[in-house]
Amino acid sequence: MYCRLTLFKLELKKFVGMLPRIFLETILFGLIAAGIGLYASKAVYADKVIGQIKAGVVADSKEPVTKMLVQFVQSMDSLKDTVSLELLSEEEARKQLESGEIYGAVMIPEGMVDSILSGENIPATILFGSGYNQAETLVFAQAAQTGAKLLTVAQAGIYAADTFCIERGMQDYIQQTEDYLNEAYLEYALGRASVFHREEVTALKGTAPSDYYGIALIFVFLSFAGLSFGRCVQVKVCERKKMLCLRGIFIGEQYLIETGAFALVFSFLGMLVSLPVFFLLSYSGDSTFQAAGTWVFLMLIWFVLGCFLKMLVQIMGNSAGGIGVCFVLLLVCMFVSGTFLPPAFLPVWMEWAGNSLFYRGWMEKTGMLLQGRLDSTVILKLLMQLLLFLAAGVLAAKVRKDTAK
Amino acid sequence: MELEIRDVKKSYRKKQVLKKISLTVKAGECTGIIGANGCGKSTLLKILAGIEKADGGEVLINKHPMKWQSSGLAGCIGYIPQESVLIPELTVEDNLKLWASFGEHKKNEEALKKLGEQFQLGNFYRKKVKYLSGGMNKRVNIVCALIHEPSLLLMDEPSTALDLVFKEELREYIRNFTANGGSVLLSSHDEGEIAGCAALWAIKNGIAQKVPQGETIEKIVSEYMK
């Protein structure tokens, strides 16, 4: 027992001694990842990040249908955070376009809604301001298309009713049916549409965007820090390991001792790095974080993450190639789990795949603990994962020993 | 301690490194193994140290069959491998502490003090192993093997990287060790070390042959090394 304790203490000392270098290396890894992220976001969003797009709608304010449509489009979950529509007069719209207060203006001619419903289709004019990028144009075009689609659906319904009346020999009822349908669609259907938009889309269950990005940042940083540590871990079965076996500390025990020391140092690093970030975030306006005793349990998450990274390095090896493979695997794993981009923005299959990876769960658990919520199943799940990673690591170490020359 | 090796075989995948090795190491004697690079000297020492398993044959220690990977045996055998057993990120002191922590650690720590003086480790006791020279590293490895005061020493090219002073120091240690009844089995390419061996065995084509006493180096090289 004394020799195992000595080995554990020395492994701890080894990893603590590595901390300064690991910190610098992680920053380097982080810069590479940030560079990739920046390049990717530039490719997607061009030079500017989209803020809220202000646009005007020039229409006869007395026409209730137009007003209702504007309100409906604006209330859509997918648009309300990016597009703000305002009913303006033509003169106001042109003035605000010139001053750059609004991005564009949709000029709805008088009787346009009636013309669509009757099939005449008088076109609307869209005026654009200057100084906006392609992404904003795309978003605005999407908003305009949404409005047009709503009217097209209404129009199709009315044509269908006309055909229905003609086929049944009820031509006299066409006008009356159209009036009823107009009333039903515009007054009732649009008003009740909000019923279908109840599901809240958030980056991470119940957390604000700033909280989500804070958690994601810490996970990315710590994962790369783990890889930097991994380079200094003895993965191969060397003479020392064989001789320690001979002295009674078997390869599985050696793995557990080394992993225990590594994960302990790693979890302290995790607390050291994450607590100030989360504490600062908790003061931001929309943060859901609350300083509470549950924050202590974050250490368990970092410990589990440490064991996961150690297992990964044990399986892949810590040569340059092995670390490279681990780096790519982690990038993919984090991306699919929604660490770089909120899961809501990912394709459905990727979102589904991310659910079965560990990062999504860890990020959600981190969010829960930071909000002061603690569930015994969370701790249980983490302990189960810990056992899984340790068992897989021991197995990998034994396989390496058996296959070594 | 007397060591007897009978028909030991070892293969790595399809290559048979040791075909049929039989030799004896008498108590109180230094026995040398010579042979060309890759002939299986290190493999044989690893088998005797218990870190590799032989495919066949028998090893007897004081006429008793050796049990593979027995930690009790590890206490009476000191093995100095070619590869360093030290943790590079730790200091010499920490590494020695680790190897002294096995068995009777208090007694080992006492032995460590004496060995530290004998092999002059004091100057770099607090230095990290990764900053040591090859010779310094070797000296620390030798001390690690000697901490438990073994009665049989297995040395795989022990004087590699050592300077002339420490080569002589090591020879002196071996002389005293055997004079006190200890047995040594070493593999070497060093003439001085070979000359100091009471018995010499050559491994060629996976078989051990005893080299007659008084054989000249030229003859040894031409007959057993090529």
Side-chain angles (χ1 to χ4, degrees):
Chain A
M1 195 62 205
Y2 179 76
C3 55
R4 285 168 184 82
L5 200 67
T6 308
L7 182 61
F8 179 72
K9 278 197 280 189
L10 293 175
E11 291 285 2
L12 261 183
K13 194 176 175 183
K14 178 178 94 177
F15 289 120
V16 168
M18 286 175 190
L19 272 175
R21 208 185 73 196
I22 298 300
F23 208 79
L24 290 175
E25 276 186 15
T26 309
I27 291 171
L28 189 70
F29 264 130
L31 284 175
I32 295 170
I36 295 169
L38 202 68
Y39 180 79
S41 68
K42 258 194 159 188
V44 175
Y45 297 119
D47 291 331
K48 273 187 173 179
V49 173
I50 307 171
Q52 199 172 48
I53 302 168
K54 284 185 181 173
V57 178
V58 180
D60 182 4
S61 57
K62 285 172 196 162
E63 197 169 39
V65 178
T66 311
K67 203 173 172 180
M68 209 184 290
L69 263 175
V70 170
Q71 281 170 354
F72 176 72
V73 172
Q74 200 166 16
S75 71
M76 290 181 77
D77 279 347
S78 55
L79 292 171
K80 67 181 175 190
D81 288 336
T82 42
V83 182
S84 143
L85 295 174
E86 199 183 344
L87 269 173
L88 299 169
S89 68
E90 192 175 341
E91 197 186 340
E92 281 172 330
R94 288 190 185 279
K95 210 186 265 178
Q96 288 190 18
L97 266 177
E98 269 177 38
S99 64
E101 278 177 66
I102 56 171
Y103 164 65
V106 187
M107 315 280 276
I108 297 176
E110 210 172 322
M112 188 185 115
V113 176
D114 286 339
S115 79
I116 290 172
L117 296 179
S118 66
E120 199 183 335
N121 287 345
I122 302 172
T125 312
I126 299 175
L127 301 174
F128 289 108
S130 57
Y132 289 84
N133 64 25
Q134 197 192 1
E136 284 159 327
T137 307
L138 284 171
V139 173
F140 189 70
Q142 196 73 40
Q145 272 177 18
T146 307
K149 268 182 192 164
L150 283 169
L151 292 174
T152 311
V153 170
Q155 193 181 7
I158 287 162
Y159 286 151
D162 289 352
T163 313
F164 180 84
C165 289
I166 292 164
E167 280 182 1
R168 299 286 167 106
M170 301 190 294
Q171 283 88 340
D172 298 343
Y173 292 96
I174 288 177
Q175 191 55 50
Q176 199 183 344
T177 310
E178 281 185 2
D179 290 344
Y180 283 148
L181 279 174
N182 279 338
E183 192 183 335
Y185 187 75
L186 298 172
E187 282 188 26
Y188 301 106
L190 287 184
R192 293 176 69 96
S194 61
V195 172
F196 304 104
H197 295 272
R198 280 217 182 130
E199 198 185 330
E200 195 187 356
V201 179
T202 53
L204 207 61
K205 270 180 203 164
T207 53
S210 58
D211 295 347
Y212 159 78
Y213 284 113
I215 293 171
L217 178 80
I218 295 298
F219 268 91
V220 172
F221 181 86
L222 288 177
S223 300
F224 291 143
L227 274 196
S228 302
F229 266 118
R231 248 177 10 88
C232 314
V233 164
Q234 185 73 49
V235 172
K236 283 183 188 163
V237 183
C238 57
E239 297 284 82
R240 182 180 68 248
K241 289 199 171 190
K242 286 179 185 172
M243 284 181 67
L244 287 174
C245 279
L246 199 64
R247 298 274 176 192
I249 307 181
F250 296 107
I251 212 79
E253 282 181 272
Q254 287 179 43
Y255 177 82
L256 291 177
I257 289 171
E258 195 185 26
T259 305
F262 167 76
L264 199 62
V265 174
F266 184 80
S267 53
F268 272 107
L269 174 74
M271 292 304 260
L272 196 76
V273 172
S274 66
L275 286 185
V277 174
F278 294 146
F279 192 71
L280 285 174
L281 274 174
S282 70
Y283 281 100
S284 73
D286 60 344
S287 177
T288 54
F289 295 166
Q290 284 174 357
T294 50
W295 286 32
V296 175
F297 287 92
L298 284 176
M299 199 150 170
L300 181 61
I301 295 182
W302 307 142
F303 194 89
V304 174
L305 176 64
C307 290
F308 169 73
L309 295 168
K310 177 77 171 36
M311 176 205 72
L312 204 64
V313 172
Q314 183 65 41
I315 294 171
M316 296 298 163
N318 66 345
S319 59
I323 292 291
V325 173
C326 290
F327 181 73
V328 174
L329 271 177
L330 278 183
L331 273 183
V332 173
C333 194
M334 286 193 278
F335 185 82
V336 173
S337 304
T339 310
F340 296 119
L341 211 59
F345 293 111
L346 299 173
V348 178
W349 66 268
M350 211 183 266
E351 210 182 327
W352 177 82
N355 280 332
S356 41
L357 294 172
F358 300 105
Y359 273 88
R360 176 88 50 85
W362 290 333
M363 287 174 69
E364 280 174 5
K365 287 175 184 82
T366 305
M368 275 178 68
L369 293 175
L370 290 168
Q371 287 166 355
R373 290 185 288 142
L374 180 64
D375 191 341
S376 58
T377 55
V378 168
I379 305 295
L380 202 67
K381 270 185 187 172
L382 286 170
L383 291 176
M384 297 274 279
Q385 287 174 357
L386 184 68
L387 284 178
L388 177 76
F389 299 148
L390 290 177
V394 168
L395 191 69
K398 282 193 171 173
V399 168
R400 267 186 194 279
K401 186 183 177 242
D402 293 342
T403 53
K405 180 188 156 188
Chain B
M1 182 184 265
E2 194 177 289
L3 182 73
E4 197 182 340
I5 302 160
R6 286 184 192 163
D7 301 335
V8 165
K9 293 172 196 160
K10 178 74 186 172
S11 301
Y12 290 119
R13 293 187 183 95
K14 283 180 183 171
K15 193 187 173 197
Q16 194 169 21
V17 183
L18 303 177
K19 285 179 187 161
K20 206 174 184 183
I21 298 283
S22 299
L23 60 88
T24 316
V25 179
K26 287 182 185 163
E29 259 189 27
C30 176
T31 304
I33 320 170
I34 54 164
N37 290 330
C39 72
K41 300 184 296 288
S42 299
T43 305
L44 179 63
L45 289 174
K46 281 178 189 174
I47 291 171
L48 298 176
I51 61 173
E52 290 278 349
K53 202 173 182 179
D55 297 336
E58 203 178 12
V59 178
L60 302 172
I61 291 177
N62 289 337
K63 314 275 182 204
H64 297 291
M66 179 181 131
K67 200 178 160 196
W68 188 67
Q69 276 207 336
S70 143
S71 56
L73 192 66
C76 60
I77 294 179
Y79 171 53
I80 303 164
Q82 273 189 55
E83 194 186 304
S84 174
V85 296
L86 309 174
I87 302 173
E89 293 83 8
L90 294 177
T91 62
V92 170
E93 185 184 14
D94 291 332
N95 274 284
L96 291 171
K97 261 186 199 167
L98 172 64
W99 294 103
S101 69
F102 296 96
E104 295 173 56
H105 57 90
K106 283 195 177 148
K107 193 180 145 203
N108 293 340
E109 275 161 21
E110 287 299 315
L112 189 59
K113 276 182 196 166
K114 280 185 207 162
L115 288 165
E117 279 169 26
Q118 193 172 354
F119 285 86
Q120 296 173 26
L121 304 184
N123 296 338
F124 48 91
Y125 214 58
R126 292 185 193 282
K127 210 171 176 179
K128 278 191 179 172
V129 168
K130 62 181 173 185
Y131 301 123
L132 295 183
S133 68
M136 287 171 176
N137 196 308
K138 196 78 191 183
R139 273 150 67 187
V140 182
N141 272 281
I142 291 171
V143 171
C144 285
L146 301 177
I147 289 174
H148 307 95
E149 297 175 339
S151 43
L152 170 65
L153 269 181
L154 302 169
M155 305 170 128
D156 198 352
E157 299 183 21
S159 58
T160 312
L162 289 183
D163 61 28
L164 289 173
V165 176
F166 281 100
K167 270 186 186 179
E168 190 46 47
E169 191 73 41
L170 184 65
R171 272 178 221 146
E172 182 61 33
Y173 183 87
I174 292 172
R175 273 195 291 270
N176 288 337
F177 184 76
T178 48
N180 290 325
S183 311
V184 178
L185 179 63
L186 60 85
S187 80
S188 184
H189 295 292
D190 185 273
E191 273 184 50
E193 241 164 34
I194 292 170
C197 293
L200 201 59
W201 292 80
I203 298 180
K204 198 175 177 183
N205 300 325
I207 293 168
Q209 294 170 269
K210 191 159 189 181
V211 179
Q213 280 205 329
E215 204 80 279
T216 60
I217 289 293
E218 288 79 14
K219 195 154 186 215
I220 289 174
V221 170
S222 64
E223 207 153 300
Y224 303 103
M225 309 283 270
K226 286 183 180 170

